[in-house]
Amino acid sequence: MAVLSRQKLRIVQVLPELNAGGVERGTVEFARELVKAGHESIVISSGGRQVPKLESEGSRHITALVHKKSLASFFQIRPMRRLLADLKPDIVHVRSRMPAWIVWLAWRKMNPEIRPKLISTFHGMYSVNAYSAIMAKSEHIISISDCVSDYIFRNYAVSPDKLTRIYRGLDRNSFSEGSNIDKWKDELFLKYPQFKSKKLILMPGRLTRWKGQEAFLSMMNVLVGIDPRCHGIIVGEAESNKEHYLQELTVQCSRLGLDDKVTFVGHRSDINNFYSLSAVACHMSNKAEPFGRTVTEALASGVPVVAYDRGGASESLRAGFPEGLVAADDIAAFAHKVSALLDSEANIQLPDEFYLDSQARETLNVYYRALES
């Protein structure tokens, strides 16, 4: 099968949508790597703001209603089977549960001799039930961290040779230390003059209760008492059905007297520059997160990170900057750790396996092994 290892592949990735979020961004970045390597990249989703970027980088996007968690989605099974028969991909890679159900029900009725190989990625530690079990029905499974691998082994009858751990990789060109951001910084300071001459403490991530923005505000309340130079920045937007959470956060911010100490900047497409501007980045999820992409993004930008010691986030931090680990839910210890790092020289060493080129190489190896089996 030596010739197979040099074969150019037609790869279909399927996910609910292409808006904000780590899975969506990672899919677009991986698609770009496939195109750069000479493979044909196709993404199926219900659409979203990242479609133009995906297509401009050489992939094809096909719109399909694969995002709704309802019985109506099962009307997409036959159209999906016809689509896969027309596309004739080598690999179909599913990245979420509802699309996985549609694809698997379509795929299993195809001729096993000619149908594509089916790969899934566990991007999360989903609730254990029949709905989530679909992610374990593919021919090979990728997990995004060791803690996700452990979760899969604990909850599903998966043999070790069917599972490969591949960390979600970062684009080296997007997150790098020492980028020239002077013009961007000047424009930002015109809009947010409160950032000038401050030690900026970054809290990136979607505004959702489990991400820990409430804990961040409580931590900032302690931190500004230790070091008044600090100013918190919360980057991220609330989903359309969770805008009430943003209101709760602003009320909490005012109640703590932090209106002039913390700024909400909403969704930003220039998050890499915010990392470079910050003194410390924070990760404060109130439950074990499967990976914690913002941890590796900040570390790749040369920014020290403080995070609770649990889940995939601590796994990433332990690999690149273990000094930033704090006991889970200890707000006071978190604030003191941030303070201690403000004027220290951080020794950050993020291993190669956390970068996109490594992820692409290892994922392609999974594809080729699947084709050889």
Side-chain angles (χ1 to χ4, degrees), residues 97-172:
R97 289 171 290 177
M98 192 67 245
W101 272 109
I102 295 169
V103 169
W104 181 75
L105 290 169
W107 171 86
R108 69 173 184 164
K109 292 291 183 69
M110 298 175 73
N111 183 346
E113 297 298 319
I114 60 174
R115 69 188 179 190
K117 294 296 182 178
L118 183 60
I119 310 296
S120 65
T121 291
F122 270 76
H123 286 280
M125 291 178 284
Y126 313 115
S127 54
V128 181
N129 51 38
Y131 177 62
S132 300
I134 187 61
M135 300 302 290
K137 290 183 179 293
S138 60
E139 294 178 291
H140 199 87
I141 301 165
I142 294 171
S143 70
I144 62 171
S145 65
D146 288 333
C147 73
V148 173
S149 294
D150 292 341
Y151 158 86
I152 295 169
F153 287 134
R154 284 197 311 271
N155 295 291
Y156 300 99
V158 173
S159 62
D161 61 349
K162 189 182 175 181
L163 178 70
T164 302
R165 191 269 289 145
I166 303 175
Y167 288 125
R168 290 166 59 186
L170 302 170
D171 184 350
R172 294 179 189 272

Side-chain angles (χ1 to χ4, degrees), residues 9-10 88 131 141 156 200 224 249 264 279 287 308 313:
L9 305 178
R10 177 177 294 170
K88 296 180 174 61
Y131 177 62
I141 301 165
Y156 300 99
L200 299 176
V224 295
L249 291 172
F264 296 80
K287 62 181 182 180
Y308 290 146

